[in-house]
Amino acid sequence: MNKSANKLIIVRQLVKIYPLPDGELKVLDGLDLEVERGDLVAIMGASGVGKTTLLNIIGTIDRPTSGEVFFENEALFSKDPRELARIRNKKIGFVFQFFHLLPEFTVIENLSLPLLIAGWPRQKALSKAWELLKEVGLEKKARVYPSLLSGGEQQRVAIARALVTEPSLLLADEPTGNLDWGTGEKIMELLSYFHEKKGLTSLVVTHNEKVARFCHRVFRLEDGRLKPILDRSSLF
Ligand SMILES: Nc1ncnc2c1ncn2[C@@H]1O[C@H](COP(=O)(O)OP(=O)(O)OP(=O)(O)O)[C@@H](O)[C@H]1O
Ligand SMILES: [Mg+2]
């Protein structure tokens, strides 16, 4: 069997340079990463080292200066923007620190929207949205507006929305960064549930070592590259 068959993502020699008024900033410098299907990977590192930059490139929101990302064995950055958008919408879910739910829509409408945009008929979209809402335990909040939810509830809705289209990859940038740890722990338990039940693959950026404990592998981004944290006991 092809050795790379089980790899969802292969990142090769990624370089990202931002031009600055007085020179340039090399954020990623020959970064390599391989992620298998089902993996739950934490990326840690100091503020400003390039964690969000890396997530945005893997999520096809941004392009590298050089290097390549293979997603399901396809080279992403030789594709045209329309094809990239198609892959992004179908296969990648995003979760952010500040939830980013649409305030003028109810919870169930927020969950249905990605499916309606993908062309699902209304009834089918609604029933799929309900299925996810039940999985995150918020059926009672279906017709509530996001501003009336707690932070943890908003993040559970955001996770349900990210997963409603059944993407193969979830990219989460500080998903518990705005929550107390008791609430953040529930978010990580929910992510673990989606890994066990649905074979989800996730990259989670975090400053919190307690979040990293939930992950199968932990890396520190430093000097533009990922270094594995092999001694997991330092996180406990
Ligand atoms: N569009 C841009 N143009 C110029 N510099 C940028 C741009 N985007 C990010 N940077 C710079 O690149 C570096 C890495 O930014 P990034 O947001 O990836 O860091 P981070 O590791 O996510 O930090 P944090 O933990 O604070 O979120 C920072 O110095 C940032 O100022
Ligand atoms: Mg960031």
Side-chain angles (χ1 to χ4, degrees), residues 18-20 25 27 45-54 173-174 205 207 221:
Y18 289 118
L20 293 178
L25 177 67
V27 176
S47 181
V49 289
K51 304 179 298 295
T52 296
T53 300
L54 174 62
D173 199 348
E174 294 276 1
V205 164
H207 282 107
L221 181 49

Side-chain angles (χ1 to χ4, degrees), residues 200-213:
L200 183 66
T201 307
S202 302
L203 287 181
V204 179
V205 164
T206 184
H207 282 107
N208 188 340
E209 295 184 345
K210 292 183 193 145
V211 167
R213 281 186 214 162

Side-chain angles (χ1 to χ4, degrees), residues 28 30 47 58-59 78 89 114 125 128 132 134 148 158 168 171 175 179 181 187 206 210 229:
L28 305 179
S47 181
I58 293 174
S78 46
N89 293 338
K128 180 72 184 173
L132 264 290
K134 278 187 207 142
L148 298 178
S168 33
L171 298 175
L179 305 171
W181 176 240
I187 293 297
T206 184
K210 292 183 193 145
I229 298 181

Side-chain angles (χ1 to χ4, degrees), residues 176-218:
T176 69
N178 203 36
L179 305 171
D180 64 77
W181 176 240
T183 311
E185 191 171 26
K186 293 211 171 65
I187 293 297
M188 290 314 295
E189 283 167 1
L190 188 61
L191 280 192
S192 301
Y193 160 84
F194 281 109
H195 274 256
E196 276 163 34
K197 298 278 172 198
K198 315 240 165 168
L200 183 66
T201 307
S202 302
L203 287 181
V204 179
V205 164
T206 184
H207 282 107
N208 188 340
E209 295 184 345
K210 292 183 193 145
V211 167
R213 281 186 214 162
F214 278 85
C215 298
H216 308 150
R217 293 191 296 148
V218 184

Side-chain angles (χ1 to χ4, degrees), residues 60-72:
T60 77
I61 290 172
D62 198 359
R63 297 183 79 90
T65 306
S66 64
E68 187 53 277
V69 175
F70 298 88
F71 187 90
E72 295 178 341

